[in-house]
Amino acid sequence: MAVFTEVGFDEAAALAHKVGLGPLKALKPIKAGIENTNYFLTAERGEYVLTLFERLSAEQLPFYLHLMKHLAGRDILVPMPQSDAHGEILHALCGKPAAIVERLRGGHVLAPSAAHCQQVGAMLARMHEAGRDYPYHQPNLRGLAWWDETVPQILTFLAPPQRALLEDELAFQHSVSASASDAALPRGPIHADLFRDNVMFDEDAEGRSQLTGFFDFYFAGVDRLAFDIAVCLNDWCIDLASGRLLEDRAAAFVTAYAEVRQLTGDELRLLPALLRAAALRFWISRLWDVHLPREASMLVPHDPTHFERVLRERIATPWHPASR
Ligand SMILES: Nc1ncnc2c1ncn2[C@@H]1O[C@H](COP(=O)(O)OP(=O)(O)O)[C@@H](O)[C@H]1O
Ligand SMILES: N[C@@H](CCOP(=O)(O)O)C(=O)O
């Protein structure tokens, strides 16, 4: 549930007109999400999503919006940002940077099957391939440097067992990051937040659940492609209650991904460490959001203990895809 900045109908109507969507018909705040302010926007030309960016700056945002435009232009199922008459896709509203993108049809699949994981794995690989010639560069702003900056701010809120785990895992990730294998990992633009709630599915004419698109590219950055795989495995392919990886879904995801882009030997070897890194990354951000919250008229932060469980699971039971 997140609305940090209230947007008036007339303000939204003026922006909708500016990007050529015609008269605004409806504007509805979106409760889901915790990072930005989002509204469903119904205009004469169709259904869209209005986002006001609450933390990212006007200097950081072009990387994400142009990545979405680049991928959509290569038939990756990503909502197209809407441009004004000058081709500008980054706008401003209520004193915040803003964007309007197409609203994807369908809904979230919060209890995915191996077939859903297969579709997401294949589309992620196609997205990584399509991103190879993306000309802009911006690091993953929630990567190791951000972990180093944020962990000292949250340690004080933690009990000794959590504090020890956080400090030990951060030290381990520094050792991985300094390794030759890590340096050899293929890199490119990654989504870096491809959870179940950032992917849409809809039923086709035969009643089959088909992926209709990825959204929420606002944690994207240039990083190790296999880190993106780890983020997905830690959400799409787990038992939510225990954090345990589910072999059938994980195998379906990685097999489908590898049919589009084969994983290197270094990626296969480092995947267990990257699964730990992906769990650590979201444990840190959820702890940060809970213990150092922002003012909001609507906000339901995510539970940090979920990713403490996932991290402990990844450490206790390292997962390797069967060699292919
Ligand atoms: N392009 C889109 N198409 C359809 N629904 C969307 C789209 N973008 C956002 N949403 C809806 O808004 C919710 C919050 O969006 P999200 O990007 O996750 O928030 P945040 O910006 O806080 O991360 C999503 O869970 C989804 O229901
Ligand atoms: N998906 C991450 C980060 C928050 O994502 P949002 O899309 O809800 O803003 C998490 O669940 O921690």
Side-chain angles (χ1 to χ4, degrees):
M1 287 189 174
V3 171
F4 300 92
T5 305
E6 308 276 349
V7 177
F9 188 91
D10 293 346
E11 294 161 308
L15 182 56
H17 175 73
K18 182 183 174 192
V19 299
L21 303 184
L24 182 63
K25 294 180 177 175
L27 184 69
K28 181 184 175 193
I30 301 174
K31 292 177 182 175
I34 62 162
E35 194 61 27
N36 301 300
T37 291
N38 291 290
Y39 284 81
F40 286 127
L41 187 153
T42 302
E44 187 174 65
R45 262 191 48 200
E47 300 288 338
Y48 300 87
V49 171
L50 165 66
T51 299
L52 274 67
F53 299 98
E54 299 291 349
R55 278 183 169 142
L56 291 167
S57 68
E59 293 69 35
Q60 294 167 324
L61 281 159
F63 174 84
Y64 309 113
L65 295 173
H66 285 284
L67 176 59
M68 294 170 74
K69 184 177 177 182
H70 175 89
L71 295 171
R74 283 161 175 70
D75 298 325
I76 304 299
L77 296 176
V78 168
M80 179 66 85
Q82 300 301 299
S83 62
D84 64 17
H86 307 291
E88 181 54 65
I89 52 179
L90 176 59
H91 312 294
L93 195 62
C94 305
K96 296 282 172 67
I100 294 180
V101 304
E102 295 164 323
R103 178 176 180 175
L104 297 172
R105 61 184 171 76
H108 307 308
V109 171
L110 300 182
S113 65
H116 291 111
C117 296
Q118 189 177 19
Q119 291 186 61
V120 178
M123 184 58 77
L124 182 70
R126 285 200 290 274
M127 192 200 97
H128 287 164
E129 290 294 274
R132 284 184 182 278
D133 63 342
Y134 182 56
Y136 295 91
H137 187 286
Q138 187 163 284
N140 172 2
L141 299 180
R142 293 284 175 95
L144 190 61
W146 184 79
W147 308 349
D148 283 340
E149 180 190 309
T150 306
V151 164
Q153 300 175 47
I154 54 183
L155 283 178
T156 183
F157 299 102
L158 301 183
Q162 284 72 29
R163 189 177 310 175
L165 176 60
L166 197 48
E167 289 177 321
D168 291 351
E169 187 60 24
L170 186 56
F172 171 75
Q173 291 301 331
H174 269 281
S175 66
V176 171
S177 177
S179 71
S181 290
D182 185 274
L185 293 178
R187 283 165 163 79
I190 68 169
H191 182 284
D193 184 30
L194 200 64
F195 283 48
R196 305 174 197 199
D197 63 2
N198 286 332
V199 177
M200 291 298 206
F201 284 84
D202 203 4
E203 285 204 349
D204 66 12
E206 287 73 43
R208 292 171 308 203
S209 184
Q210 295 296 331
L211 193 153
T212 61
F214 296 167
F215 59 88
D216 194 1
F217 276 76
Y218 310 123
F219 284 128
V222 174
D223 201 337
R224 297 147 302 173
L225 302 180
F227 181 77
D228 232 359
I229 296 172
V231 169
C232 288
L233 291 172
N234 275 346
D235 188 67
W236 287 89
C237 304
I238 67 168
D239 168 65
L240 287 174
S242 66
R244 187 171 47 81
L245 264 176
L246 300 170
E247 181 61 35
D248 64 331
R249 288 195 219 165
F253 187 102
V254 173
T255 300
Y257 183 100
E259 283 169 2
V260 177
R261 185 184 77 84
Q262 185 55 44
L263 297 180
T264 67
D266 288 312
E267 289 180 305
L268 290 168
R269 268 189 302 281
L270 278 185
L271 193 54
L274 293 172
L275 283 162
R276 291 172 56 166
L280 176 67
R281 174 262 182 261
F282 290 103
W283 187 27
I284 292 170
S285 61
R286 289 189 176 193
L287 286 169
W288 190 53
D289 283 336
V290 162
H291 294 298
L292 297 165
R294 292 171 286 165
E295 282 299 314
S297 59
M298 277 196 281
L299 178 61
V300 178
H302 296 313
D303 174 14
T305 57
H306 169 73
F307 275 107
E308 178 189 349
R309 268 194 306 274
V310 172
L311 176 56
R312 290 186 188 279
E313 260 293 314
R314 297 299 166 273
I315 295 169
T317 316
W319 185 80
H320 285 276
S323 57
R324 278 165 179 72

